[in-house]
Amino acid sequence: MLFYALKRFGVAILVAVAVSIVTFSLLRFSGDPAAAMAGESATEEDIEYVRKHYGLDRPLPVQYADWAVKAMQGDFGESIYLKRAVSGILADRAPTTMILGALSLSFALILAIPLGVLAAMFPNTLVDRVALGIAVIGQALPSFFFALIMIIVFGVWLRWLPISGHASWLNFIMPSIALGYYATPAIMRLTRAGMMDVMSSDYIRTARAKGLKPRVVLFKHALRNAIIPVVSLSAVQLGFMLGGSIVIETIFSLNGLGNLAWQSIQRSDFEVMQAIVLTIASFYILLTFLADLLNAFLDPRIRVS
Amino acid sequence: MAERILSVDNLKVEIPVPSGMLHAVQGVSFKVDRGETLCIVGESGCGKSLTSLAIMDLLPTKANRTAERLELHGKNVLDIPEDEMADIRGNLMGMIFQEPMTSLNPAYTIGNQLEEALIRHRKVSRDEARDRAVYLLEKVGITAARSRLRQYPHQLSGGLRQRVMIAMTLMCGPGLIIADEPTTALDVTIQAQILLLLAELQKEFDMGLILITHDLGVVARVADRVCVMYAGQVVEQGSAKQVFENPTHPYTQGLLECIPIPGKTARGSHLGSIPGIVPSLVGEMNCCHFSDRCPYATDICRTQTVDLRQGFTADHDFRCVLTSEQCAENLKQKVPA
Amino acid sequence: MANGTVAAKLPSAQEILEPSASSLLLKRVFGHAGMTIGGGVLLFIFLIAILAPLLAPHDPFDQDLSKRFLDPVWGAKGTWLHPLGTDGFGRDYLSRMMFGAQTSLLIGFAAMLISGVIGTALGVAAGYFGGRVDMIITFIITTRLAMPVILVALVVVALIGSSLNIVIWVLGLLIWDRFAVVMRATTQQVRSMDYIAAAKALGCSTTRIIFTEIMPNVANALIVVATLEVAHAVLLEAALSFLGLGVQPPTPSWGLMISEGKGMMFFKAWVIAIPGFALFMLVLCINLMGDGIRDVTAPENRN
């Protein structure tokens, strides 16, 4: 188990390093960062000054090493627009995105797992069809369009929910649904398929042959095994949601990392963009690593070997 | 006379399939007494496994079960509510399955899975259940039983898992155990051990045992009574002694020719085989099911159904248009003395 | 773990290839009609996109500020002159919808082709050669999966400057992961078949084996993923354009139309409902099509 965890951790670190290199190169090769930072009305001299001042005239590997060493110490440079340390800005904005991510995943799981289980228990019934219908729509509905519809219906027509800002928990309801709904089909499909698979397995027959109550057979013996792959998928989906938060946070003016990313793109705030991409990628890597550990914890075949 | 544990009368299992109705089990009747081993023999697909699942009421949901009588300890268990049936399963009768590798839940320890049945049915404490589990694990020949309780199924070999399965069915001290090909998935050397173990435990705990197998060698060693099934029907049943000494139905005769018997089968002689394949059980069949493989089949066999009739003794039935004397004569001519 | 030597863990190809919800639903309701309906509507959208220059009642770029936000025909003051009304610049909405279909389909297919080439090459190489090659490619896929697609696309597009071609290339270079995952798994399966060993024994070259033995046998999975990726690219393009960093005005794009109509949506909901619904239908039909192909080509359905 320890060996397994260490191996996974090593891979996670390697992936993080690779992501940082790719992110760094991507941003350097996509244009002249000095020109972008200096702004549209800048003269040649201005751009040259920015290039020197930010050390952008040094060879790329040197720049990367410098940036990476500082990033590891939590120093992502300074925002050219906000004139503040990037790490401080990220720390201010991150909680909102974390809350949004957690709520979205909770929404997705609360909707997807019971529906997936019910659909597996009663295949070809009304429950199954409703569940599948939700999945079909979820796969095809663009989340930003869904968000706008919710704003019109619940924000403007019914006036139940606030449509922008982050003043109270009510502000998080619609964004979480818009973001979480997108992950629902995948989780539901996997739960349904997993439950169908497990329910027809030999050990479920054994459990029934022991005379266990249907509730015990379902929750203790079936769901426990069917849920294992859902853990990995949830981590992946949560990672996608953090990436997708840029669209949803922008629509609902939620003051999180996604919104900050969009603002920084508008302002050509180079250091902030770079830091956000790396932060969200790191979260994804961390999440999949934790999911691997949780998987191993849930599955004795990995844990005890 | 020993206590009657199980009575089955005219048990039928039907499964709707795309091409019609599959008559998987067509009116099977038998009884099991305390301390008695009934072997149900037949090739794959003859309905022997479905018969056992039907007794446990564990058939797939789309399968349809009917019977004139299904009694456990003289109490009707046919068409009773599922929760009453669940009280009986694992409590008054237990079942051992073919695949020890997949019949245990990979997510829980052996101990957990052993204890839960006893806790469920007897409302005992976990400590009491654990003591019982250790006692039974030792009974089924597992060493260091107490530390095994903390192991997971994937840490045990197939043979050990099957021993655990056996211990699991014994947890509540059931009067009847059904073992559905319990040794098929195991190594040949392990097979014999598991079988002997089952037979010993059956004697020791004085239970009824239904052993389902396609291996006549197994039957010869442990059976008190034998029930030969072919294509959904019982074709011959009786005491093991009768069936082995006076096999009457041509199918049983054919089966017995297929296995070498030490001391009886001559060295180097050819073993028999039964040509042909099992008929499809979809739809109605108005003929003897064995007619297209039977060496003695006549037009009558192919045009009318055949009922069970009494053989040489009162406790011996077979399903053939020929009389028992004619059958015996056939056998005599076939086996050169 | 089964893939103990492989450095990283990938999402399973099964999750992607397993018959999905929509196919199951529609198969139960209409048999294989899901594919027929999806295909039919898709063909309809295709024809509209191709024939847009002929069919469109107006020039999609023709502005008339005196006719801003005219209602569609079903609205209070709607006329057949502008069946779907006009936008904030007085441009005919129906014409812009038709040309918008061009944009969506063009980007969807082009991005799918680029990502398909990259993903298939990587996936087949990893699956066929195994060992160290597999380890490296798996690591590349894992790295790619860790990068947030929308965010990276937005940043890159913002820095390079956005245009139709840029959007196509950025998406194409980003969304090859599913191709790679599925092709890797499928190739691994095919590779263990006897006929590959037979081809090797006959002395066929690696290139020959990959193109004549492997590719035909992974083609079904490839087509399914390709369909799904068209839908994925269409959705991403819409999201980018919605955020103002995809297709640039005045080029018509459904995502951009939703973005442009956002300001009016509280007063005239149809402004966003029309392009939004079109987007939903397009993606739905592509998915139905993909699920249909998967069902039809699934080995267990071939008798």
Side-chain angles (χ1 to χ4, degrees):
Chain A
M1 176 62 193
L2 187 66
F3 177 71
Y4 173 82
L6 282 176
K7 204 173 79 180
R8 286 270 158 252
F9 187 69
V11 174
I13 295 291
L14 280 178
V15 172
V17 171
V19 167
S20 75
I21 294 176
V22 173
T23 308
F24 187 84
S25 332
L26 214 55
L27 270 77
R28 301 295 139 145
F29 290 122
S30 297
D32 183 355
M37 284 157 98
E40 281 176 12
S41 57
T43 62
E44 279 299 315
E45 288 95 71
D46 293 341
I47 295 174
E48 273 317 302
Y49 173 76
V50 169
R51 204 185 302 280
K52 279 238 156 52
H53 185 78
Y54 287 95
L56 296 171
D57 52 347
R58 294 171 298 168
L60 276 183
V62 178
Q63 287 186 42
Y64 171 75
D66 186 38
W67 176 71
V69 168
K70 282 186 180 155
M72 274 200 292
Q73 296 161 341
D75 176 7
F76 289 100
E78 189 180 70
S79 158
I80 193 165
Y81 181 88
L82 297 167
K83 309 283 183 224
R84 277 182 62 197
V86 174
S87 49
I89 306 172
L90 291 187
D92 286 352
R93 301 290 194 106
T96 306
T97 303
M98 298 298 120
I99 294 171
L100 177 62
L103 288 175
S104 302
L105 183 65
S106 311
F107 172 77
L109 292 176
I110 289 170
L111 184 65
I113 292 182
L115 272 178
V117 170
L118 283 174
M121 299 301 296
F122 308 103
N124 296 318
T125 59
L126 189 66
V127 184
D128 193 15
R129 283 179 195 164
V130 167
L132 292 167
I134 288 175
V136 174
I137 294 169
Q139 275 170 332
L141 196 62
S143 58
F144 64 91
F145 179 58
F146 184 42
L148 294 180
I149 295 176
M150 278 199 289
I151 288 179
I152 293 176
V153 174
F154 298 107
V156 180
W157 290 355
L158 299 171
R159 311 229 167 203
W160 285 353
L161 294 166
I163 58 172
S164 78
H166 50 118
S168 81
W169 63 273
L170 287 172
N171 287 91
F172 282 93
I173 295 179
M174 284 199 284
S176 308
I177 294 175
L179 203 51
Y181 188 53
Y182 194 66
T184 307
I187 298 176
M188 196 173 77
R189 268 171 57 184
L190 195 62
T191 310
R192 182 179 184 275
M195 278 302 283
M196 297 275 264
D197 212 36
V198 168
M199 286 308 283
S200 64
S201 70
D202 288 347
Y203 57 82
I204 291 302
R205 194 177 53 185
T206 307
R208 293 184 57 212
K210 274 193 265 187
L212 299 180
K213 295 238 157 60
R215 181 171 40 85
V216 179
V217 174
L218 178 64
F219 288 104
K220 182 180 172 186
H221 286 274
L223 196 54
R224 167 66 197 270
N225 283 290
I227 215 77
I228 292 173
V230 176
V231 170
S232 301
L233 182 69
S234 302
V236 170
Q237 292 291 335
L238 182 55
F240 290 165
M241 284 183 208
L242 293 180
S245 68
I246 186 163
V247 183
I248 297 302
E249 286 185 9
T250 307
I251 293 175
F252 290 98
S253 308
L254 267 184
N255 215 6
L257 288 177
N259 201 1
L260 176 68
W262 194 69
Q263 289 166 340
S264 305
I265 290 170
Q266 305 285 317
R267 301 164 183 159
S268 299
D269 202 339
F270 201 78
E271 304 279 352
V272 180
M273 288 189 234
Q274 194 164 266
I276 292 178
V277 174
L278 190 65
T279 307
I280 291 186
S282 307
F283 269 119
Y284 177 93
I285 295 166
L286 182 69
L287 284 170
T288 45
F289 172 66
L290 292 179
D292 280 347
L293 291 193
L294 189 55
N295 246 334
F297 178 74
L298 286 174
D299 189 346
R301 282 165 295 187
I302 305 176
R303 179 168 27 118
V304 191
S305 59
Chain B
M1 196 175 150
E3 181 197 350
R4 171 92 2 120
I5 307 258
L6 179 77
S7 315
V8 180
D9 265 354
N10 203 13
L11 176 73
K12 291 179 183 170
V13 176
E14 292 170 352
I15 303 171
V17 292
S19 51
M21 185 61 81
L22 176 71
H23 302 273
V25 179
Q26 305 176 4
V28 169
S29 307
F30 53 76
K31 293 165 181 61
V32 181
D33 290 342
R34 187 170 282 285
E36 186 180 64
T37 300
L38 169 72
C39 281
I40 303 181
V41 202
E43 41 199 305
S44 330
C46 70
K48 57 192 194 301
S49 283
L50 285 172
T51 302
S52 64
L53 290 173
I55 296 168
M56 293 290 286
D57 196 13
L58 286 176
L59 288 168
T61 38
K62 61 177 181 176
N64 187 16
R65 177 188 74 167
T66 56
E68 274 167 31
R69 184 157 67 142
L70 184 56
E71 286 178 2
L72 188 69
H73 296 291
K75 192 176 155 285
N76 173 45
V77 292
L78 186 70
D79 302 322
I80 58 170
E82 168 60 26
D83 54 338
E84 274 179 47
M85 193 61 208
D87 287 340
I88 292 168
R89 270 190 228 120
N91 186 9
L92 303 181
M93 58 179 169
M95 187 158 177
I96 301 162
F97 298 100
Q98 189 172 353
E99 286 292 339
M101 304 310 277
T102 52
S103 291
L104 291 166
N105 192 328
Y108 296 101
T109 58
I110 301 301
N112 186 322
Q113 297 185 59
L114 279 164
E115 290 151 21
E116 66 179 344
L118 192 62
I119 294 170
R120 150 80 171 89
H121 291 295
R122 295 294 148 79
K123 313 284 177 276
V124 300
S125 73
R126 191 156 281 277
D127 282 343
E128 289 171 87
R130 185 165 304 142
D131 290 342
R132 171 88 177 155
V134 171
Y135 166 74
L136 283 173
L137 283 183
E138 281 165 356
K139 273 278 166 221
V140 298
I142 290 180
T143 51
R146 201 163 279 276
S147 63
R148 294 278 184 194
L149 291 180
R150 284 192 298 275
Q151 290 193 308
Y152 287 92
H154 72 273
Q155 295 171 289
L156 307 180
S157 68
L160 275 183
R161 285 190 216 187
Q162 201 59 301
R163 287 174 195 265
V164 171
M165 276 299 292
I166 293 170
M168 198 180 279
T169 52
L170 294 174
M171 282 300 281
C172 295
L176 176 70
I177 284 192
I178 304 174
D180 182 4
E181 307 223 18
T183 59
T184 308
L186 301 174
D187 289 346
V188 179
T189 48
I190 312 288
Q191 287 186 1
Q193 295 174 11
I194 295 288
L195 224 79
L196 284 175
L197 175 69
L198 261 179
E200 274 169 27
L201 291 167
Q202 185 241 1
K203 291 281 172 282
E204 180 170 352
F205 292 104
D206 200 22
M207 303 173 293
L209 173 66
I210 299 178
L211 182 64
I212 289 162
T213 178
H214 59 255
D215 184 347
L216 274 178
V218 168
V219 180
R221 287 163 67 181
V222 299
D224 297 314
R225 298 181 54 78
V226 180
C227 173
V228 183
M229 282 186 75
Y230 182 80
Q233 294 178 330
V234 173
V235 293
E236 182 158 1
Q237 65 181 350
S239 69
K241 189 170 183 298
Q242 268 299 326
V243 173
F244 277 93
E245 283 177 8
N246 296 312
T248 312
H249 193 277
Y251 178 64
T252 318
Q253 294 177 353
L255 277 184
L256 286 171
E257 278 170 43
C258 299
I259 52 163
I261 300 166
K264 276 195 182 171
T265 313
R267 191 180 286 249
S269 68
H270 283 285
L271 293 176
S273 63
I274 305 174
I277 53 162
V278 186
S280 157
L281 295 178
V282 179
E284 298 292 332
M285 274 175 88
N286 290 319
C287 62
C288 167
H289 292 187
F290 192 58
S291 56
D292 56 351
R293 293 173 78 183
C294 180
Y296 317 112
T298 58
D299 284 343
I300 299 173
C301 305
R302 296 188 189 94
T303 50
Q304 66 174 58
T305 53
V306 185
D307 292 328
L308 273 177
R309 60 152 99 180
Q310 199 191 318
F312 287 113
T313 59
D315 192 25
H316 185 189
D317 299 314
F318 70 108
R319 191 186 292 272
C320 188
V321 294
L322 301 177
T323 62
S324 47
E325 287 77 18
Q326 286 172 310
C327 289
E329 190 58 30
N330 283 335
L331 185 64
K332 222 177 265 167
Q333 290 181 354
K334 212 160 153 193
V335 185
Chain C
M1 292 297 299
N3 56 346
T5 54
V6 176
K9 253 173 83 177
L10 295 175
S12 83
Q14 199 99 48
E15 277 164 33
I16 301 169
L17 286 179
E18 171 234 324
S20 81
S22 49
S23 80
L24 294 174
L25 174 73
L26 283 143
K27 199 154 79 183
R28 276 167 216 167
V29 184
F30 307 111
H32 268 303
M35 189 178 166
T36 322
I37 294 173
V41 177
L42 203 55
L43 187 70
F44 177 69
I45 299 176
F46 251 103
L47 286 176
I48 286 182
I50 293 167
L51 300 175
L54 299 174
L55 292 174
H58 298 269
D59 181 343
F61 302 103
D62 207 4
Q63 300 186 6
D64 183 350
L65 293 180
S66 67
K67 299 204 286 189
R68 298 174 66 226
F69 292 119
L70 290 184
D71 278 348
V73 278
W74 61 83
K77 289 179 231 149
T79 62
W80 279 105
L81 183 63
H82 297 286
L84 295 183
T86 58
D87 71 1
F89 293 96
R91 296 175 294 199
D92 180 54
Y93 227 49
L94 176 62
S95 307
R96 288 188 70 73
M97 286 298 297
M98 290 177 162
F99 280 89
Q102 271 186 351
T103 311
S104 284
L105 288 173
L106 178 66
I107 291 180
F109 275 90
M112 176 272 284
L113 285 178
I114 297 170
S115 58
V117 170
I118 301 172
T120 308
L122 287 175
V124 170
Y128 185 79
F129 296 107
R132 193 160 294 184
V133 178
D134 184 33
M135 219 168 92
I136 293 168
I137 292 177
T138 304
F139 184 78
I140 296 174
I141 300 173
T142 314
T143 306
R144 159 51 208 92
L145 281 170
M147 319 252 321
V149 178
I150 297 192
L151 197 54
V152 172
L154 281 173
V155 169
V156 173
V157 169
L159 288 173
I160 304 181
S162 54
S163 73
L164 199 74
N165 281 335
I166 299 282
V167 173
I168 289 173
W169 278 101
V170 168
L171 290 183
L173 291 172
L174 275 173
I175 60 171
W176 47 263
D177 50 287
R178 253 198 292 203
F179 277 107
V181 169
V182 173
M183 283 301 104
R184 174 176 172 269
T186 322
T187 309
Q188 277 175 345
Q189 268 171 25
V190 174
R191 194 183 178 276
S192 58
M193 300 286 169
D194 286 342
Y195 55 81
I196 301 295
K200 269 189 207 155
L202 285 173
C204 292
S205 70
T206 304
T207 338
R208 199 185 145 84
I209 292 177
I210 287 180
F211 281 95
T212 64
E213 306 289 342
I214 303 267
M215 290 309 284
N217 286 294
V218 297
N220 287 332
L222 186 61
I223 292 169
V224 173
V225 181
T227 333
L228 294 176
E229 283 314 293
V230 173
H232 191 197
V234 166
L235 279 176
L236 283 174
E237 181 274 324
L240 289 187
S241 298
F242 174 77
L243 289 172
L245 286 160
V247 176
Q248 291 301 297
T251 313
S253 148
W254 293 346
L256 192 57
M257 287 167 81
I258 296 175
S259 170
E260 288 168 345
K262 217 170 37 181
M264 278 301 279
M265 68 179 193
F266 300 136
F267 313 105
K268 294 176 186 296
W270 59 264
V271 178
I272 64 156
I274 291 171
F277 181 71
L279 206 48
F280 169 69
M281 283 306 288
L282 176 60
V283 175
L284 181 69
C285 290
I286 300 174
N287 283 342
L288 289 181
M289 194 67 193
D291 293 340
I293 297 171
R294 166 169 38 208
D295 282 0
V296 173
T297 59
E300 61 269 27
N301 288 347
R302 260 187 261 155
N303 286 319

